[in-house]
Amino acid sequence: MLWFIFSFLALLAIFIFAFTLLYVKTPPHLAFVRTGFGGRKVVIDGGSIVLPIIQDIQWISLKNI
């Protein structure tokens, strides 16, 4: 029973670590377009999970020119 608890905690820690590495959040003055696997997604105010090998992001400035 003890090994089950330790393995669950280890998997939870790995999941949280992977999520923090893959989650990309936009600053207030930028947006990004995520392309690749899963189609296109425009993120203006928030964040999204980006898989580095199969998805790409392009930053777009929201400042007035």
Side-chain angles (χ1 to χ4, degrees), residues 12-28:
L12 183 64
I14 290 170
F15 177 75
I16 291 171
F17 182 70
F19 182 78
T20 58
L21 286 178
L22 298 176
Y23 189 77
V24 178
K25 188 174 179 191
T26 59

Side-chain angles (χ1 to χ4, degrees), residues 7-59:
S7 61
F8 176 75
L9 290 176
L11 285 174
L12 183 64
I14 290 170
F15 177 75
I16 291 171
F17 182 70
F19 182 78
T20 58
L21 286 178
L22 298 176
Y23 189 77
V24 178
K25 188 174 179 191
T26 59
H29 64 284
L30 291 175
F32 69 83
V33 179
R34 182 190 73 188
T35 58
F37 182 74
R40 293 180 302 262
K41 181 176 182 181
V42 178
V43 180
I44 296 173
D45 186 22
S48 180
I49 293 178
V50 178
L51 303 171
I53 302 299
I54 57 177
Q55 293 177 336
D56 189 32
I57 58 174
Q58 183 176 6
W59 292 97

